[in-house]
């Protein structure tokens, strides 16, 4: 009655023709172009939400990308060429390790490249991405990582972006996305909580109007508190007003009961107004603050710290350069540059992925939808390849902007298109507008967006469900304060060691029934072979007289050669000591493997009872006290 | 009738008192001092075999260690100070990468240190080791690895040995030996075959009397064949005679039938003689060759290439130095030296272990006994700690000498004591004897010992039993020709990826019975959570109308938090779509975890039939066409 309909691994295989057909089926097309999944259902409500969210993210992207690039440029130019104060130089010097400071070369890197990175993400990701929330773009961590490899050379930067994209796309085509499944939930949670703290805290300096705060988290905490007396009253007041507005609008929206037709019209209108304001709160707050700042600035009052001068102009669309002529006239070939980039070609693509996927997974879990690892890989890779055509540098997910996007209520990846358009417009025309955005209002928006991500309610949950999972959580959480990517890698390693220990030491249930009956509680893989063998030696072979064993393999679904070899050794040892070893509950595929190995003396039965019966019969024929060694195989 | 006697993981725990008692039980003492397992049963036959094997290994150790150290010293001294010909220098220069050549400093390193390494291994390992065959001592790979870190400074070398021992012992105490279980059988086999080829081929130059052959395998092959015209007739003849003798004695012993009393006395005596000669063949051949060489040398005929001058004198027994005053009078503290050693403190202990364990496992599998990973770690660590007291450098297992030891028929680790005594004696008095050992005879012994290890019969076995296991075998085999430790690491990585892929993509058996019944064929760990969820989405939730699912978890023995979180998401999604999700066959511990997680809508039954019953009842009450969304948790 219950026939197997399909065996999944087989389904993935099938004949070459079936596979070819599957390649071009509608489902595959939809998997490769996730936009086909949501575009047909796109409606006005979604558009409205996407435009609001996209515009809000755009408002934060332009100033953030610009500030980041100003800092990146700082790494490239000699100190004296920069329009920074001596204090700023000292401050940044603090957070530059001696390795980084060696990068400061005389080459210049155009500030616009950061914004170029920001707009391509939205367009490409909209078509190929599977997460509605994530916003790809330039991030501080990526800038710093890249700086270590491109050595201030724009050609290197663009080529790194291109190769990074090629490597990521190749990984996607090779279906290596399954490796991302090894980022466990505790690691994601640890990363999210730590990122919320560091990013939220990182905005505190803008809320207080402080300058020259270093980038490294611990130094940032120290200097932010140390400089509190220097806080600017205007920024603090504006920041607090924005924060209060944002929080109260959120609370009002949440406490608003469901609409019903029984309510009077004016009540319903007021409710609609509150709901509308609450939805657009992020954009409203930034725009309102900008208007106030503009009025004050033009009347000569520099009350707030504003974004200030940003660069302007659209990038040319051109293929990335594959060679370069350097100062002394030497031609650097493609292979020279690749050799120079070296380890960067491993570190940058992997770190970019790791952070993007961690963010995408965190928001997918928060908002109840699924992402597809391979497709995400592909979308990020393609964004980088296309980005290299507009002189961008490698993108990754930005935690802060993704939080703003998600919290403003984005519905589809189309929000990214709005952000992209806004970035393009701002590059072309809007820069004067961005000039007057007060930093404190942006800080308030980012702080409100990341605050809900700092959710320590998981800790008692871990405690209740599986205490051991607190370990990867804590490792990730704590190490992320030092370096985000080390935190993720550390957490993954801890989860892996825990997983592997379970595989190497499967639980065995030993029961005594004249002979020993040993039940394997899970599968049997090569790391467990030695352990199983040792247990059988200790409990059955090294006691006097040696005991017979029934090995219950109901839960074993596959065997590798190491295990087969160990079983072959065990069978010989049991024969030598005149004890019986009978397997029971072998599945069809496992039995096939054992028979193919041609093991002498292999006995197997359906059930434990049948195995016990077989053993007692064997002892009858051999005689229990005869103890004649059965030599040879 | 079949009550569980003991649950293994619980047994390992128990009350603090039980654990304390277990710590001091006789079994634990025997596990910590494996010598207690075999010493009481020691007899004259074993002694005879151990002495023959130990002496044979001793005869090969002294010249080998000396040659190795001569080469190591070559790395330390400036070219002109060395008593090597210009040809030799050029030749060695070929196999030194530019990294290594930068190590050649003006400090000198006493040649005796290699022999000091050789004798401590035998004594310590005899008490603590669990492999009868392995011989610890100086090896070419270890010498090269160490040279990269100690920079020609004896204080660094001795301290590296000490710290390497401390790290290995600590790993043993922390029971990290389980990590060694991840070296699978295909990796061991690939390593064994490659090592047999490289070591066997490495002796060919001695058999042919060739000089100045580089160390790197591929260069060695090229130069050995290139220089065949320069072969020395004396060495070739002696080598071939030795080889013929060794092979024919082995064949004679193997074809000798069993003794029986019916045979005449003289036949039995002849058989006994053959058996005796065959057992002692290695030592006999070397001693006979040495006698011939001595006679020829004293009569002025330099027919054979002989071992030549070796150093003499016993090392002082003293604690390793923990600081050093260098040339310009600066005091280098312990922490300075540790910082200088840097990565060496990770690479040297791990590589030393990896090779030792791989060799021990290979010979244990060959000779049907078991080694204990943690105990091996402990024995090697202690050997290194004690070695640092006699100015030795870090030891590891030597494949060639272990093969000679095993093939000469060693019975217990006591063979190592004989080797150790012989090395000590040779350091004190016997050097003149070693002077005359012809290299070709040693080469014949080593070639005969490693030849049986090159056993490609495993390849068809892999093909028959599990074709996929050919991959780690081939990776290890091929990469080992480049660098042995990269080969082992590469093979382990390939096996790991295969293992992890199986964990991330467990086999699901989907059958259709009005509702979908999905059976998990193995355990469910966090890397599989996303995959399971995706399958349920594709097959049950994204079809129209959504289908109910019975998840058969008979084979699941534990759950981690990631899986629980995914199940919680799934339950919510099934409720939203008004479809049922019922678990069946949950074990007690798994059910406890799920209940602790307080999942809303969790339904579980004993069997698939009961689950189907539950689902049909639910549909009855809700009505199949009502399709009212069940919102909220």
């Amino acid at each position: 009655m219950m026939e197997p309909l399909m065996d999944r691994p087989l389904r993935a295989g099938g004949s070459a023709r079936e596979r070819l057909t599957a390649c071009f089926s509608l489902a595959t097309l939809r998997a490769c172009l996730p936009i086909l999944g949501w575009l047909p259902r796109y409606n006005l409500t979604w558009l409205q939400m996407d435009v609001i969210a996209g515009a809000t993210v755009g408002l934060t992207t332009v100033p953030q990308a610009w500030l980041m690039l100003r800092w990146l440029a700082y790494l490239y130019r000699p100190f004296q060429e920069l329009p920074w104060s001596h204090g700023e130089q000292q401050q940044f010097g603090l957070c530059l390790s001696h390795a980084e400071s060696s990068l400061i070369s005389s080459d210049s890197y155009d500030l616009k490249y950061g914004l170029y990175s920001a707009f391509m993400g939205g367009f490409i990701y909209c078509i190929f991405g599977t997460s509605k929330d994530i916003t790809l773009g330039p991030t501080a961590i990526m800038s710093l990582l890249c700086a270590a490899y491109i050595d201030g050379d724009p050609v290197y930067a663009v080529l790194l972006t291109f190769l990074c994209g090629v490597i990521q796309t190749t990984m996607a085509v090779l279906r290596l996305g399954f490796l991302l499944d090894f980022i466990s939930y505790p690691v994601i949670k640890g990363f999210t909580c730590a990122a919320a703290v560091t990013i939220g805290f990182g905005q505190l300096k803008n809320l207080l109007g402080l300058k020259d705060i270093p980038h490294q988290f611990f130094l940032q905490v120290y200097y932010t508190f140390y400089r509190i007396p220097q806080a600017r009253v205007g920024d603090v007041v504006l920041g607090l007003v924005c924060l209060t507005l944002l929080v109260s609008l959120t609370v009002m929206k949440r406490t608003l009961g469901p609409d019903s037709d029984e309510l009077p019209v004016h009540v319903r209108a007021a409710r609609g107004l509150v709901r509308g304001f609450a939805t657009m709160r992020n954009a409203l707050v930034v725009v309102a603050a900008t208007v106030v700042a503009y009025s004050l600035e033009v009347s000569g009052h520099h009350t707030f710290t504003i974004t200030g001068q940003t660069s302007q102009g659209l990038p040319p669309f051109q293929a990335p350069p594959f060679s370069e002529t350097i100062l002394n006239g030497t031609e650097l070939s493609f292979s020279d540059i690749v050799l120079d980039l070296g380890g960067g070609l491993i570190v940058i693509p992997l770190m970019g992925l790791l952070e993007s996927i961690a963010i995408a997974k965190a928001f997918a879990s928060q908002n109840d939808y699924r992402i597809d690892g391979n497709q995400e890989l592909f979308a990020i890779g393609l964004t980088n390849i296309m980005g290299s055509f507009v002189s961008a540098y490698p993108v990754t997910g930005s935690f802060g902007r993704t939080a703003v996007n998600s919290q403003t209520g984005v519905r589809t990846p189309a929000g990214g298109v709005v952000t992209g358009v806004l970035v393009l417009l701002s590059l072309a025309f809007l820069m004067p507008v961005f000039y007057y955005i007060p930093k404190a209002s942006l800080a308030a928006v980012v702080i409100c967006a990341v605050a809900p991500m700092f959710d320590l309610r998981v800790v008692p949950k871990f405690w209740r469900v599986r205490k051991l999972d607190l370990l990867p959580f804590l490792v990730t959480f704590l190490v992320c304060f030092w370096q985000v990517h080390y935190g993720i890698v550390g957490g993954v390693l801890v989860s892996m060691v825990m997983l592997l220990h379970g595989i190497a030491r499967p639980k065995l249930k030993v029961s005594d029934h004249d002979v020993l009956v040993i039940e394997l509680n899970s599968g049997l893989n090569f790391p467990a072979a030695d352990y199983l063998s040792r247990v059988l030696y200790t409990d059955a072979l090294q006691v006097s007289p040696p005991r017979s064993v029934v090995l219950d393999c109901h839960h074993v679904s596959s065997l590798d050669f190491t295990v087969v070899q160990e079983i072959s050794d065990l069978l010989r040892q049991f024969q030598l000591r005149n004890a019986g070893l009978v397997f029971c509950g072998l599945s069809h595929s496992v039995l096939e493997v054992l028979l193919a190995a041609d093991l002498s003396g292999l006995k197997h039965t359906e059930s434990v009872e049948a195995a016990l019966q077989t053993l007692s019969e064997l002892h009858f024929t051999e005689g229990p006290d005869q103890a004649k060694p059965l030599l040879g195989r």
Side-chain angles (χ1 to χ4, degrees), chain A residues 7 20 33 36 63 78 91 103 108 114 136 158 170 191 232 236 280 290 413 432:
Chain A
D7 208 33
L20 207 67
L33 296 171
L36 297 180
Q91 209 48 66
L103 294 169
S108 74
L136 300 179
V158 172
T170 312
F191 158 70
R232 293 187 58 181
V236 175
M280 295 170 61
T290 310

Side-chain angles (χ1 to χ4, degrees), chain A residues 547-622:
Chain A
R547 309 189 60 181
S548 291
V549 169
V550 172
L551 203 60
D552 184 353
C553 300
H554 273 102
H555 292 170
V556 177
S557 57
S558 69
L559 288 184
D560 54 45
F561 197 90
T562 311
V563 175
V564 172
Q565 188 62 27
E566 202 74 54
I567 288 176
S568 151
D569 282 354
L570 277 172
L571 283 170
R572 194 160 67 247
Q573 297 296 335
F574 271 85
Q575 282 184 332
L576 278 173
R577 288 171 175 77
N578 202 28
L581 174 60
V582 178
F583 294 81
C584 74
L586 297 171
S587 77
H588 184 66
S589 58
V590 169
L591 186 58
E592 241 172 20
V593 168
L594 284 179
L595 291 178
D598 200 18
L599 304 174
S600 86
L602 176 71
K603 288 183 190 64
H604 57 94
T605 61
E606 283 282 310
S607 66
V608 176
E609 285 69 29
L612 294 175
Q613 182 67 28
T614 310
L615 274 176
S616 68
E617 278 167 18
L618 279 177
H619 273 267
F620 269 127
T621 51
E622 284 169 13

Side-chain angles (χ1 to χ4, degrees), chain A residues 129-143:
Chain A
T130 59
S131 159
K132 73 174 180 65
D133 296 306
I134 200 165
T135 37
L136 300 179
T139 63
I141 295 166
M142 208 56 175
S143 312

Side-chain angles (χ1 to χ4, degrees), chain A residues 142 145-150 153-168 320-321 337 341-349 384-385 388 392-394:
Chain A
M142 208 56 175
L145 276 178
C146 288
Y149 294 103
I150 59 184
D153 187 334
V155 171
Y156 274 50
V158 172
L159 210 55
L160 179 61
T161 309
F162 177 75
L163 292 173
C164 178
V166 169
I167 289 166
Q168 289 167 335
I337 302 180
L341 289 173
L345 293 178
I346 297 170
V347 174
I348 304 283
N384 279 330
I385 292 179
S388 70
Y393 71 86

Side-chain angles (χ1 to χ4, degrees), chain A residues 386-427:
Chain A
M386 295 310 294
S388 70
F389 282 77
V390 290
S391 318
Y393 71 86
V395 297
T396 180
S398 152
F399 191 92
R401 294 198 296 275
T402 305
V404 171
N405 201 22
S406 164
Q407 222 231 354
T408 316
V410 75
R411 287 302 178 90
T412 70
V417 175
V418 180
T419 306
V421 169
L422 203 67
V423 171
L424 273 183
L425 284 178
S426 71
L427 276 171

